[in-house]
Amino acid sequence: MLDAKLVMFRSNGERREFPLNQDLTCVGRKNDCDIRIPVTEVSRRHAEFTIKDEEVSVKDLGSSNGTFVNNKRVKQSALSAGDHVVIGPVVFTLQIDGEPTELRPVKTKLKRHDAAGKDQPAQDPLPGEAAIDDELDPISALEALASSADQTAIDPFDDDDL
């Protein structure tokens, strides 16, 4: 059987892993999601990861803010080891059967809003390069929100929930 996991890093560099040990893993804001991210940028049922015939794929479930694979918004996409999947402020790297062997933290550049509330475009990083936004630390923001949220669901930043 395929050993697939989503890997993310906390703002302090601590690595967190979420095994994809089911045929279907749902990520979202609702309590019944397998991986819960309790922030408003994440839809109630945002995306699902599927393992079928030794292949991993991700499908956006009609989320407002989208699901991104390697900096491109997708509705559905087959995934390969090392691909980056962005859901809200969280960046996951897919590791399959231990590959890639070395992973490091990745941050994304989030959209900013102008005074009228309209999105301002974010610059895409160069291919193979992770975007770094010094003004926004989405992981720290998520940790702060998660600490005040319902703790009955999985919090991607608290090892005790796993």
Side-chain angles (χ1 to χ4, degrees), residues 13 21 33-34 42 49 55 63-64 83 98 100 113 127 134 136 142 144 146 159 162:
N21 50 15
C33 292
D34 301 303
V42 176
F49 290 86
E55 292 184 357
S63 67
S64 301
D83 283 347
H113 303 285
D134 294 328
L136 293 175
L142 182 56
D159 285 329
L162 297 176

Side-chain angles (χ1 to χ4, degrees), residues 108-124:
T108 75
K109 191 172 270 286
L110 300 176
K111 290 183 180 178
R112 290 189 167 80
H113 303 285
D114 63 16
K118 297 195 184 248
D119 286 342
Q120 295 299 308
Q123 294 182 5
D124 287 335

Side-chain angles (χ1 to χ4, degrees), residues 16-31:
R16 296 291 315 278
E17 297 180 358
F18 301 92
L20 298 176
N21 50 15
Q22 311 177 91
D23 291 339
L24 183 74
T25 301
C26 183
V27 179
R29 200 174 68 227
K30 280 184 76 174
N31 287 339

